[in-house]
Amino acid sequence: MTFIAVAVPVARADQISAALETARVAKQQGADLVEWRVDSLAQEPGAASAVTRLVQDAPLPCIVTVRHVAEGGGFCGTDEQRQQVWTAASTAHPPAAYVDVELATYLSDSEAGERARDMARLGRLGGGNGPRVIVSFHDFDGRPPGLSARIAEMWSDPASAVSKVVWTARTPRDNTEAFEVLAGRAKPTIALCMGEHGLMSRVLAPKFGGFLTYARSDAQGTAPGQPTVEELVQQWGFRSIGPETRVYGVLANPVGHSRSPALHNRWFRDGRVDARLFAIAAGPTWESFKATLVELLSLDALHFSGCAVSLPHKLNAIRFVEERGGVVDPMARSIGAANTISVASDGTLHASNSDLAGVRDPLLRAASAQGWSDGLAARRALVIGAGGAGRAAVAALACAGAVVTLTNRTAARAASVAEELNGSLHRNGLSARAIAARSLQEIDTRDFEVIVQATSAGMSGGEGADDDPLPQAAALSSDMIAMDVVYTPRETPFLRRAARAGAHVVGGWSMFVAQAAQQYRNWTGHDPTTIDDVVDTSAGRSAS
Ligand code: NAP
């Protein structure tokens, strides 16, 4: 079993009651160990009796740590002060379960080093009557030089009980090195990556037999990459992660805002699929995208089984799968972009584009609600926007039998995309109606039964956050379906106008859920347990 530990800093004796309460709450939420971080307290008068109280009253087995400033802590006192804390931790009734000592101190010729090694021998030999020693090493700047040698040194020491190495991940690739450390361990080991790239190492520690992972209590504010105990237990299903758990990702740059992890992990949980999906910041270039995927695929024991791909890597996804001799779905090839990579059981990679299903499925539901018995077949549809989302919308509608017109702020781009899609859909053996292109000025919206707003106009934080790409005079009506691909905010200027006209509106969140559902089908072979009522938890909204 991999323990969940909560590190609670205690700077002064008057903070003990609050610290004990934090540990009690963490225990209720599922923590197994509390680490008392007494870096500052250790330098206060009366530190020994304060530490004794912390250890004796702890609601969980505890680790006592006095972290030196040289390793990112707050302790800059004397060896004597540090040893007083260790004595208190050892002589409390019951004693602390563990005392953490940094490798540099543990190996030193100083009195503290000797004392630490004695404590380790006693803890190891004393049948549980004294704390066992965790020997640790931290690097806040990045991967420590000589990592393997340091770990080998820790493992070869017969007295210490646990080896711990923690460093700041510079890229998602550092996680796999942490997993390799755990997989090759010669004694109980903690290998974790800090920072925004390190979440995977924390959540997947049980998959590789890590001794513990750290989580924070709700009261402790945020720490990049460190989940709360509740998130770890409830959302990540930490207790059921094992060696066979499959791993998926969403690769994008930036990726922090992605809703894919929350959505897919909920579906995995509800569908009892032993898999987890992580947000993975792949870096903006082809090289970083490729290096990230190569690393994830190279560690067999990770069981990396696929990923969602978002901007700016949808083209790179096709290139990568082609380079690895995989299969590119004809639709993804036709639009020149893939947002899904799946790894088959024989290792073959497949690239596909679920944005099509993202547009098609909600529109088909809307068509059925309108009483259109043939779905979208022969319906006159207008797509505004000739970027990635626009191309997917055009292809989805044309292949569903709609009569599609494409328009765009830059008219020439609409013309070239329409021409290209007419050729590529045909070339890739897909049956689709011919696509026309017209300038925005030529468009009379009354000619259309379906309008898809597929530009980034209306997107919060973007350049055209308040824009509606249609001219003011354009008329919308109650017998139309109006869809927006933008999902932040839920109500865009275009959708507000459509709703005022009484049109059947379909929001971008529905597209997001539908395209994710298609990815889930590709990966698991099953439908997600629920689609229609999926709540956008980040904004407290439900999909329509
Ligand atoms: P893209 O490839 O960069 O294309 C952007 C498109 O928007 C171009 O057609 C551009 O026209 C047009 N545009 C930008 N600002 C405009 C404005 N103020 N007025 C009129 N047109 C404007 O982007 P994309 O990948 O297609 O993404 C477009 C939107 O779709 C984004 O908001 C994205 O988040 C959203 N999206 C949603 C989902 C979902 O699941 N709901 C999936 C994919 C994308 P020009 O050619 O004239 O520059």
Side-chain angles (χ1 to χ4, degrees):
M1 167 173 161
T2 299
F3 298 117
I4 299 177
V6 170
V8 180
V10 190
R12 297 186 313 271
D14 63 4
Q15 295 175 352
I16 290 179
S17 300
L20 290 168
E21 181 53 25
T22 301
R24 269 190 283 276
V25 173
K27 179 183 180 181
Q28 280 163 10
Q29 292 172 335
D32 307 296
L33 291 166
V34 57
E35 176 174 354
W36 299 127
R37 282 290 302 269
V38 291
D39 316 2
S40 303
L41 181 65
Q43 299 166 80
E44 297 280 310
S49 58
V51 170
T52 302
R53 189 179 155 209
L54 275 172
V55 173
Q56 291 184 170
D57 293 355
L60 290 165
C62 67
I63 305 169
V64 172
T65 301
V66 183
R67 178 77 63 240
H68 201 272
V69 280
E71 298 225 14
F75 180 75
C76 48
T78 63
D79 271 3
E80 202 186 336
Q81 285 172 323
R82 200 200 286 238
Q83 287 177 60
Q84 274 176 12
V85 168
W86 294 347
T87 302
S90 308
T91 54
H93 297 289
Y98 299 93
V99 166
D100 178 309
V101 181
E102 293 124 15
L103 180 65
T105 304
Y106 189 81
L107 294 180
S108 75
D109 293 334
S110 67
E111 204 183 304
E114 255 177 50
R115 177 71 211 288
R117 293 190 292 276
D118 281 348
M119 190 165 53
R121 276 191 288 273
L122 271 174
R124 189 95 175 168
L125 302 173
N129 292 332
R132 280 167 289 170
V133 169
I134 300 172
V135 176
S136 65
F137 181 79
H138 304 80
D139 194 323
F140 284 79
D141 295 328
R143 183 193 176 282
L147 178 63
S148 316
R150 280 179 218 257
I151 292 169
E153 211 167 14
M154 289 179 183
W155 284 342
S156 66
D157 171 60
S160 57
V162 180
S163 305
K164 172 183 177 189
V165 57
V166 179
W167 72 93
T168 299
R170 298 145 308 167
T171 75
R173 305 197 284 283
D174 285 78
N175 292 288
T176 51
E177 193 164 8
F179 297 145
E180 278 164 343
V181 169
L182 291 180
R185 69 190 177 278
K187 63 162 65 175
T189 298
I190 303 162
L192 296 170
C193 296
M194 295 181 284
E196 56 175 341
H197 295 304
L199 177 67
M200 214 190 267
S201 72
R202 296 178 184 278
V203 173
L204 293 179
K207 184 170 166 62
F208 294 90
F211 177 71
L212 66 73
T213 196
Y214 286 94
R216 62 197 163 81
S217 80
D218 290 333
Q220 289 177 295
T222 56
Q226 196 178 113
T228 64
V229 179
E230 226 168 7
E231 284 165 354
L232 201 57
V233 174
Q234 307 294 338
Q235 291 172 27
W236 286 105
F238 185 79
R239 299 296 184 201
S240 57
I241 291 175
E244 299 304 319
T245 300
R246 282 182 289 147
V247 175
Y248 293 88
V250 48
L251 268 74
N253 187 276
V255 74
H257 65 284
S258 174
R259 318 264 167 93
S260 294
L263 197 52
H264 282 290
N265 287 327
R266 175 190 161 177
W267 284 338
F268 288 146
R269 211 166 46 238
D270 292 353
R272 298 183 188 284
V273 175
D274 184 13
R276 305 291 184 278
L277 183 139
F278 294 85
I280 299 172
T285 62
W286 154 247
E287 285 75 19
S288 53
F289 177 79
K290 180 177 175 176
T292 304
L293 271 180
V294 165
E295 181 80 20
L296 292 168
L297 287 162
S298 67
L299 182 60
D300 286 345
L302 184 61
H303 302 107
F304 186 74
S305 305
C307 57
V309 180
S310 197
L311 293 177
H313 293 304
K314 292 188 181 184
L315 260 172
N316 290 335
I318 292 188
R319 181 172 167 191
F320 183 80
V321 168
E322 275 175 341
E323 276 193 10
R324 305 274 292 206
V327 180
V328 178
D329 169 85
M331 190 58 100
R333 197 179 287 289
S334 301
I335 25 181
N339 74 341
T340 312
I341 293 178
S342 315
V343 186
S345 50
D346 65 357
T348 308
L349 301 184
H350 290 255
S352 55
N353 196 318
S354 71
D355 282 340
L356 280 103
V359 174
R360 183 196 60 215
D361 295 352
L363 281 180
L364 284 174
R365 284 199 294 274
S368 158
Q370 294 286 91
W372 298 354
S373 54
D374 290 336
L376 298 165
R379 296 287 165 180
R380 285 162 283 126
L382 174 68
V383 174
I384 313 160
R391 294 164 78 98
V394 167
L397 282 158
C399 290
V403 182
V404 186
T405 300
L406 173 62
T407 190
N408 190 46
R409 179 176 63 180
T410 311
R413 192 173 176 197
S416 71
V417 167
E419 189 185 339
E420 187 194 321
L421 283 177
N422 279 325
S424 64
L425 288 169
H426 183 68
R427 256 197 324 282
N428 287 298
L430 296 162
S431 148
R433 285 194 178 244
I435 300 150
R438 275 199 258 158
S439 74
L440 265 169
Q441 293 69 34
E442 288 172 317
I443 297 289
D444 183 344
T445 43
R446 288 169 301 189
D447 293 341
F448 298 97
E449 298 159 284
V450 178
I451 301 184
V452 179
Q453 193 307 102
T455 77
S456 41
M459 186 174 74
S460 4
E463 271 175 31
D466 300 321
D467 291 358
D468 171 346
L470 281 178
Q472 275 305 313
L476 302 176
S477 67
S478 60
D479 47 9
M480 272 180 186
I481 298 171
M483 177 176 191
D484 203 321
V485 301
V486 171
Y487 62 91
T488 44
R490 183 174 186 192
E491 261 210 347
T492 59
F494 170 75
L495 282 189
R496 265 199 300 278
R497 172 161 24 160
R500 273 199 306 274
H504 184 123
V505 298
V506 180
W509 180 246
S510 298
M511 174 180 174
F512 182 75
V513 174
Q515 64 77 32
Q518 184 59 42
Q519 292 174 324
Y520 184 90
R521 283 183 208 107
N522 290 355
W523 294 332
T524 66
H526 301 287
D527 281 331
T529 44
T530 175
I531 296 177
D532 291 349
D533 74 331
V534 168
V535 172
D536 179 355
T537 44
S538 66
R541 308 154 174 153
S542 62
S544 56

